[in-house]
Amino acid sequence: MKLEIKLTNKVKNSFLSFSFKNKKKIRIKIPIFIVFFRIKTSKYLNFRLSVNLKLKYFKNFLLWLSSENLIAKNQVFQEKVAKNKVFCLKLANNLHILLWKYDFEKALICIENNEDFTNWFDKNFRVFETEIEKYSKLFLCTTDTVPGIGSFYENLDFMALFAIKNRDFSKKIVTLVANLGQIKPLITKKNYQKLKKISKNFWPGATTLIIEGQSFRIPNQLPLLEILKKNGPAFVTSANISNQKLLNFVAARKKFWQICKIFNFQEGSGKPSKIYDIDTKKWIRK
């Protein structure tokens, strides 16, 4: 469906004027936040009514546009963008996207009627939706060390955890737990007693302990411990592409725009945990 939309932005009020193909016209007085437009400007733009976006994916959508170099990264987290019901983004290619949060769950996305761009958007928005679904069982969190990407045992997607990081399947991933009791069913009784004794020197804290070939850690971050207590153990790995530099939380949020479950408590030390192998009695990383 094609729409001719006139955006009139004034100091005291703004208007959206819709002219449909059947010549029906609708004029709506509503606050509009216009990114990259000058104040006191009128624009006549032709839009094609495109897709509905679930509002829970709204921030992911902006991060996706940023990853495609269509909007500046410093525009993604503007509070005005997040709060306004209607706003228009001028993209890096000088075309426009109009977003209208028309209810509590969905937003309407209208794409400027440029054939090349609308074809690109149709194709790649489907990729966006597929990526969101593909990584729906993952979460991004802060820890007491570096930001992590994880998946809870009870709703595990191990393949997605490796795929999003381009991680070699030969590399193991640490299990974060809230307490020793969550490890007890995972190892033998004898080794549990050994772990219980040794872990007193390290947990909660920034040291990973390996026993029976499995890696465990109790992080020293109370809100994260509460999440692990509620949801159970989770496989958690550093939030970066394998063999690339570590990222802070903001950079990780932008890099892994596909992840919707976010636990942002406080930044950790920025240093990866130490690793001690109880089985071999050797430090892997100090």
Side-chain angles (χ1 to χ4, degrees):
M1 181 187 298
K2 291 184 179 180
L3 303 173
E4 183 182 87
I5 300 178
K6 178 185 178 183
L7 298 179
T8 305
N9 186 37
K10 297 182 179 180
V11 175
K12 292 185 178 181
N13 52 56
S14 302
F15 295 93
L16 277 179
S17 299
F18 293 83
S19 296
F20 291 86
K21 197 172 183 180
N22 60 8
K23 298 184 179 180
K24 181 180 179 181
K25 294 184 178 182
I26 300 175
R27 192 183 192 208
I28 301 174
K29 181 179 178 181
I30 192 167
I32 303 173
F33 180 65
I34 305 179
V35 184
F36 301 130
F37 281 16
R38 294 178 181 176
I39 298 174
K40 298 181 181 179
T41 186
S42 294
K43 290 281 183 179
Y44 291 87
L45 299 171
N46 289 316
F47 287 87
R48 181 173 64 84
L49 188 60
S50 185
V51 294
N52 281 299
L53 176 73
K54 292 181 180 179
L55 283 181
K56 64 180 180 179
Y57 302 142
F58 177 72
K59 185 62 71 66
N60 302 82
F61 178 72
L62 294 180
L63 289 166
W64 170 64
L65 291 178
S66 176
S67 74
E68 295 289 342
N69 298 315
L70 287 171
I71 60 174
K73 291 183 179 180
N74 62 359
Q75 295 291 331
V76 173
F77 291 98
Q78 282 196 20
E79 288 300 316
K80 288 183 179 179
V81 173
K83 290 180 179 179
N84 271 62
K85 289 185 177 181
V86 179
F87 63 93
C88 185
L89 288 171
K90 182 177 181 181
L91 306 177
N93 58 9
N94 289 319
L95 297 173
H96 304 81
I97 291 179
L98 183 75
L99 295 100
W100 185 352
K101 299 180 187 178
Y102 63 89
D103 67 20
F104 292 108
E105 295 183 355
K106 295 179 181 179
L108 190 67
I109 302 176
C110 299
I111 310 301
E112 189 171 358
N113 195 27
N114 173 279
E115 184 176 358
D116 290 339
F117 183 58
T118 53
N119 288 339
W120 178 91
F121 189 89
D122 282 342
K123 177 182 177 181
N124 286 278
F125 186 77
R126 288 193 291 270
V127 174
F128 166 81
E129 292 181 308
T130 300
E131 290 283 291
I132 291 291
E133 179 63 27
K134 180 179 179 180
Y135 298 111
S136 61
K137 294 182 179 180
L138 303 187
F139 63 83
L140 177 68
C141 68
T142 55
T143 75
D144 54 336
T145 56
V146 298
I149 296 174
S151 187
F152 293 109
Y153 275 31
E154 288 190 355
N155 193 29
L156 184 61
D157 192 336
F158 214 49
M159 296 293 288
L161 199 54
F162 278 88
I164 200 168
K165 279 178 55 80
N166 294 328
R167 186 178 176 89
D168 192 311
F169 283 97
S170 65
K171 295 182 178 180
K172 296 179 180 179
I173 295 180
V174 66
T175 293
L176 294 189
V177 295
N179 51 60
L180 282 167
Q182 291 182 333
I183 301 176
K184 193 172 184 179
L186 305 175
I187 59 177
T188 64
K189 186 176 181 179
K190 180 181 178 181
N191 278 329
Y192 175 73
Q193 293 302 321
K194 184 187 293 187
L195 177 65
K196 189 175 181 181
K197 181 179 180 180
I198 294 174
S199 65
K200 290 179 181 179
N201 299 314
F202 301 106
W203 292 348
T207 299
T208 296
L209 298 177
I210 299 174
I211 193 163
E212 292 186 12
Q214 301 180 71
S215 303
F216 300 101
R217 190 166 77 86
I218 298 179
N220 188 20
Q221 191 177 73
L222 288 177
L224 179 55
L225 292 178
E226 288 299 317
I227 293 292
L228 294 167
K229 185 177 180 180
K230 178 181 178 181
N231 295 280
F235 285 108
V236 180
T237 179
S238 58
N240 64 312
I241 300 299
S242 288
N243 300 318
Q244 293 187 14
K245 69 176 183 178
L246 296 172
L247 303 175
N248 61 32
F249 186 77
V250 172
R253 182 76 177 93
K254 293 177 180 179
K255 181 68 176 178
F256 300 104
W257 56 263
Q258 306 94 326
I259 299 177
C260 300
K261 297 187 183 80
I262 308 297
F263 303 117
N264 183 9
F265 306 119
Q266 63 185 43
E267 286 282 2
S269 65
K271 299 178 181 179
S273 68
K274 299 176 182 179
I275 304 174
Y276 180 72
D277 192 327
I278 296 174
D279 298 328
T280 62
K281 298 180 181 179
K282 292 181 179 179
W283 284 97
I284 307 300
R285 183 169 64 207
K286 294 185 71 173

